[in-house]
Amino acid sequence: MMPDDARIYQIGLTLIDGIGSVLARHLLQYFEDPAVIFTEKKQVLEKVSGIGEYTAARIIESRTKALTDAEKELVFIEKNKIRLFSLLDEDYPFRLRECQDAPIVCYYKGNADLDAKHIISIVGTRNATEYGRQLTTSLIKDLSASFPDLLIVSGLAYGIDICAHRNALKNGLPTVGVLAHGLDRIYPATHRNTAAEMLTNGGLFTDFISGTNPDRQNFLQRNRLIAGLADTTIVIESAEKGGALVTADIACSYDRDVYAYPGRINDAYSKGCNALIQANKAGLITSAHDLIMALCWDTEISKKEVKQQTLSFEEKPAHPVMAYLAEHGDTNINNIALAMNIPVHQLSTILFELEMENHVRALPGGIYHLND
């Protein structure tokens, strides 16, 4: 019996062997209903643009397993309160929808508005210098003064990315991290606390299902989402080659604005930015004011549209692990497992879910702390 939940077919389409975002979109345009793709004959599938005999055969061979895996993923996202965005739904982020290779489905956990009036992506080298960190800090601080509703997007990586996320949080701006893996983990692990904090003012976004490892090729695929979600991409620092330049190129291909900070010609991590500017792929900026003027953003209108928000504090849900931490204070995971008679591998999953809900925080040495 075929599943009756349309989301399973939408997820399943992304799990069929040999089908990327572009071919998946061709299939959807041809059949309209993704469920048909899982029952249609090979001869009919071959008629779709870009789907030849070989690819049609791969669809037939892999679609049963794809549906099975999709059912498991739906259980995971429902259990973890993850939002599914489908290209077939009206609430799919409109900026991303405009991109020719937009993913059929995306997974999102957080509270930021992905259709916010102003969204920028900030990218750069993982080997950020003090110069790059200072530029990131001052840019976000100055932008927050004029645009308190601005959404900052980046990739949660070392260097400029994590600097952007942390400065957004520091200045009260929502910030979304785009991941190169599923929402069952955080990479790098050292950024888990920041990721957990982002869920209360921002979120985590990906087009990869749970269980996906942060493999090298996934970061390149992830970069298109960083570019596609935003009005503009800003490169703070970059060497002559690197992921930030790839993101900038993708943004250009989407006809989105790209801006870069210049640096000294002999500085290794300014060469990429200088090259973008020299090739007219990026506009030169030296401050938040430059960016605001280039984008023709009206600061007065933005300030008026931001409403005063009162913080509402919900009662923490009762949970045995939280109750234990409340009674015993900061505790090592092994001691919690022993006291509560829970296997460590199961407890790790529970603690990760509580961490993603911002109820607990991981400390060095496997210690867990109950948030106030």
Side-chain angles (χ1 to χ4, degrees):
M1 182 181 294
M2 299 295 285
D4 58 4
D5 192 322
R7 294 174 298 173
I8 292 175
Y9 298 104
Q10 293 163 8
I11 297 171
L13 178 55
T14 70
L15 304 179
I16 295 175
D17 289 343
I19 300 298
S21 297
V22 175
L23 286 183
R25 185 175 279 202
H26 288 173
L27 286 164
L28 280 182
Q29 289 172 343
Y30 189 89
F31 293 110
E32 295 185 355
D33 181 2
V36 176
I37 300 166
F38 292 86
T39 58
E40 197 54 85
K41 295 180 180 179
K42 179 171 174 287
Q43 293 88 339
V44 178
L45 292 171
E46 290 176 8
K47 297 179 181 178
V48 179
S49 175
I51 306 292
E53 182 179 354
Y54 174 74
T55 303
R58 292 186 70 181
I59 293 174
I60 299 293
E61 291 171 5
S62 64
R63 63 189 180 185
T64 300
K65 182 179 184 303
L67 274 187
T68 301
D69 292 342
E71 288 180 301
K72 293 177 183 177
E73 187 63 15
L74 186 60
V75 171
F76 171 79
I77 66 175
E78 288 184 337
K79 177 183 176 183
N80 292 281
K81 300 176 182 177
I82 293 167
R83 185 173 179 180
L84 177 73
F85 284 108
S86 167
L87 198 59
L88 297 175
D89 299 334
E90 291 184 1
D91 62 353
Y92 191 95
F94 76 85
R95 293 174 179 85
L96 189 59
R97 185 191 295 276
E98 294 171 352
C99 305
Q100 64 269 23
D101 56 353
I104 298 301
V105 296
C106 303
Y107 308 95
Y108 177 57
K109 189 172 180 68
N111 59 8
D113 180 6
L114 299 180
D115 287 330
K117 185 172 183 180
H118 300 109
I119 304 179
I120 64 171
S121 290
I122 297 178
V123 296
T125 178
R126 298 186 179 208
N127 302 295
T129 68
E130 183 59 27
Y131 171 71
R133 288 190 290 269
Q134 287 178 357
L135 290 178
T136 306
T137 299
S138 61
L139 173 66
I140 293 175
K141 180 181 179 181
D142 293 345
L143 286 173
S144 68
S146 297
F147 298 92
D149 59 342
L150 175 66
L151 173 60
I152 304 289
V153 175
S154 197
L156 204 69
Y158 291 110
I160 296 299
D161 285 23
I162 195 64
C163 185
H165 291 307
R166 287 172 176 165
N167 275 282
L169 293 170
K170 180 180 178 181
N171 288 279
L173 296 179
T175 181
V176 169
V178 183
L179 310 180
H181 48 79
L183 286 171
D184 58 329
R185 67 195 71 192
I186 292 296
Y187 178 86
T190 53
H191 296 166
R192 284 176 64 139
N193 289 344
T194 300
E197 188 177 353
M198 288 164 64
L199 293 177
T200 65
N201 191 20
L204 302 173
F205 188 87
T206 186
D207 64 336
F208 292 105
I209 63 168
S210 60
T212 305
N213 293 319
D215 296 327
R216 181 183 179 89
Q217 68 272 15
N218 293 351
F219 288 91
L220 295 176
Q221 183 173 329
R222 177 275 308 267
N223 290 345
R224 83 191 196 286
L225 302 186
I226 296 177
L229 284 169
D231 300 303
T232 184
T233 295
I234 300 159
V235 186
I236 303 287
E237 279 191 308
S238 176
E240 289 183 287
K241 294 182 180 179
L245 297 186
V246 173
T247 306
D249 281 338
I250 294 172
C252 287
S253 75
Y254 293 158
D255 290 326
R256 304 287 169 84
D257 291 320
V258 177
Y259 296 93
Y261 279 89
R264 294 184 300 189
I265 60 174
N266 293 324
D267 287 353
Y269 295 107
S270 288
K271 289 185 177 181
C273 291
N274 292 343
L276 283 174
I277 296 167
Q278 186 179 35
N280 292 320
K281 289 185 176 181
L284 186 155
I285 60 171
T286 62
S287 65
H289 179 265
D290 288 351
L291 180 65
I292 293 169
M293 292 299 100
L295 294 172
C296 299
W297 284 356
D298 191 321
T299 57
E300 291 305 314
I301 291 178
S302 179
K303 287 180 180 178
K304 289 177 183 178
E305 288 181 345
V306 177
K307 300 178 180 178
Q308 293 293 332
Q309 296 181 351
T310 56
L311 296 176
S312 61
F313 296 93
E314 297 180 358
E315 217 175 280
K316 289 183 179 178
H319 193 288
V321 173
M322 291 171 62
Y324 182 88
L325 290 173
E327 181 180 352
H328 296 87
D330 296 355
T331 311
N332 182 276
I333 185 173
N334 293 320
N335 292 336
I336 302 173
L338 185 63
M340 301 190 68
N341 194 29
I342 302 175
V344 172
H345 72 277
Q346 290 183 14
L347 181 59
S348 294
T349 301
I350 294 171
L351 286 167
F352 179 74
E353 291 174 359
L354 291 174
E355 191 178 351
M356 290 296 96
E357 297 289 347
N358 202 36
H359 295 314
V360 303
R361 183 167 76 254
L363 302 175
I367 304 296
Y368 282 85
H369 169 81
L370 181 66
N371 290 333
D372 296 330

